[in-house]
Amino acid sequence: MRVLITGGAGFIGSNFIHYTLKHRDADVTVLDAMTYAGNRASLSGVEDQINFVEGSVTDAELVDKLVKEMDVVVHFAAESHNDNSLLGPKPFIDTNISGTFNLLEAVRAHGARFHHVSTDEVYGDLALDDPAKFTEHTPYAPSSPYSASKAASDHLVRAWVRSFGIPATLSNCSNNYGPRQHVEKFIPRQITNILTGQTCKLYGDGLNVRDWIHVDDHNDAVWAIIDKGRIGETYLIGADGEVNNHDVLQLILELMGKDKDDYEHVTDRAGHDRRYAIDASKLESELGWKPKYTTFREGLAQTIDWYRDNEDWWKPMKDETEAKYAYQKRIDPK
Ligand code: NAD
Ligand code: TDX
């Protein structure tokens, strides 16, 4: 099976490649633009088993040429960080919307099986005391330029299925954690703050809830959908992992042997979504999928160990990332 993986040098894409080469018989090609979020070190150990193409999903000609040779396309490439989308939304529009459009056009021309990787953020947020969770029927209501661009890309995929009959599926997953996640994101930022002697940063009151899932569980679900999912369908992916940011941070501090109050509250994110929660019963009942990481504490402890053991991987990006946060604070000092 010839598989094109876009965004394969990023967090979830690189883990998907490691997972795929371990569990599947696949001929893997990676298309990645190597933005600040792409890291070749994330592919160390498998470099000689893949064909790596450095290029952008916004390059329609390149996308067409690659898709033509493929049986399956798994589309992870995106600008993925909400805070960056508040600072400069343009790359989110180009990559997440136009890039997806180019892939869909190539799939329409050449007929590969397409899987679109999306996020639960397209559904907006839930109140803390709302008993509801997101389902495949929740109306779209994105809050940030990032989630709006992902919502737009989902709509394009759905339209290309309905209007042109392309063989595509979609998945909307909750917050991932695990090895090789960029240090701009909440969990790795706090772990590496502790490892570099900096203070952990909690946005606002810290009561915002995220529904955490281990990246290997996400990728296992993506394969289940590619193998057994019904064409044109959307599947929500989640592992019943709702925890608020304050509790996640205190757990990290505890697991790393620090005082549980050794953090500071900082200015809240503009438009900050309050709560995400996934009802994954369609995925579980239709495709028989179940998460393997059912204890967040254990998965988090393993993730902390990975960052402890892989300083060479994250050290080069840490200062630059914190400088970006400091700049963001200067231009929006409220
Ligand atoms: P990431 O930012 O870690 O990686 C993105 C990768 O895409 C990088 O390697 C980057 O170089 C590449 N890329 C960016 N622009 C590109 C372009 N124009 N052409 C080709 N490659 C480009 O992101 P991630 O956290 O791994 O997220 C992967 C996908 O999963 C995204 O589509 C995201 O919306 C989705 N998702 C993420 C989460 C999460 O918790 N991280 C949850 C649900 C869904
Ligand atoms: O320093 C921080 N302090 C803090 O309190 C950072 C970086 C974040 N936060 C909060 C904001 C969120 O409530 O932690 C929570 C998680 O933040 P992020 O890691 O930035 O993730 P989030 O905005 O929830 O989005 C993530 O999950 C859905 C991914 O980045 C998206 O790509 C995915 O679609």
Side-chain angles (χ1 to χ4, degrees), residues 16-138:
F16 186 81
I17 291 166
H18 287 279
Y19 186 94
T20 299
L21 292 170
K22 212 181 286 169
H23 297 280
R24 317 284 302 210
D25 183 17
D27 182 358
V28 170
T29 298
V30 176
L31 173 62
D32 197 294
M34 297 306 291
T35 68
Y36 78 96
N39 191 341
R40 286 295 283 262
S42 295
L43 296 170
S44 81
V46 294
E47 286 270 18
D48 56 353
Q49 297 172 62
I50 60 178
N51 171 28
F52 189 94
V53 179
E54 182 168 342
S56 176
V57 291
T58 60
D59 179 343
E61 212 175 300
L62 174 63
V63 164
D64 184 80
K65 191 173 118 211
L66 291 172
V67 169
K68 198 174 180 176
E69 305 299 325
M70 297 296 148
D71 303 307
V72 178
V73 177
V74 192
H75 179 33
F76 292 95
E79 286 292 337
S80 70
H81 194 36
N82 278 299
D83 290 326
N84 293 341
S85 81
L86 298 166
L87 211 53
K90 177 77 164 75
F92 290 73
I93 306 306
D94 294 341
T95 289
N96 300 1
I97 304 177
S98 301
T100 302
F101 164 74
N102 289 336
L103 283 155
L104 290 169
E105 283 294 82
V107 165
R108 177 156 83 106
H110 305 297
R113 170 79 169 81
F114 186 70
H115 183 74
H116 181 62
V117 177
S118 191
T119 169
D120 58 357
E121 297 194 16
V122 299
Y123 301 116
D125 63 354
L126 298 159
L128 294 182
D129 60 356
D130 188 340
K133 295 183 175 202
F134 297 139
T135 73
E136 288 78 7
H137 303 293
T138 304

Side-chain angles (χ1 to χ4, degrees), residues 80-83 118-121 146 150 173-176 181 184-187 189-190 201-204 206 208-210 212 245 266 269 272-273 276 325:
S80 70
H81 194 36
N82 278 299
D83 290 326
S118 191
T119 169
D120 58 357
E121 297 194 16
Y146 163 66
K150 291 296 293 189
C173 188
S174 56
N175 286 60
N176 285 218
Q181 185 170 30
E184 69 190 353
K185 302 292 183 350
F186 180 54
I187 288 178
R189 186 182 186 203
Q190 312 315 326
K201 308 274 190 285
L202 193 59
Y203 291 174
N208 306 62
V209 170
R210 298 294 181 264
W212 294 99
N245 296 339
V266 296
R269 173 185 284 169
H272 196 176
D273 281 340
Y276 306 138
Y325 276 119

Side-chain angles (χ1 to χ4, degrees), residues 207-259:
L207 298 181
N208 306 62
V209 170
R210 298 294 181 264
D211 192 351
W212 294 99
I213 181 172
H214 193 277
V215 64
D216 285 345
D217 278 334
H218 179 183
N219 285 330
D220 184 53
V222 168
W223 268 118
I225 296 165
I226 294 168
D227 286 340
K228 300 181 275 182
R230 283 182 292 136
I231 297 301
E233 291 290 312
T234 291
Y235 295 86
L236 263 54
I237 306 174
D240 285 329
E242 280 189 72
V243 194
N244 75 36
N245 296 339
H246 169 267
D247 292 354
V248 172
L249 181 52
Q250 288 213 321
L251 186 54
I252 293 172
L253 286 160
E254 184 206 320
L255 289 168
M256 295 183 76
K258 297 288 168 196
D259 186 316

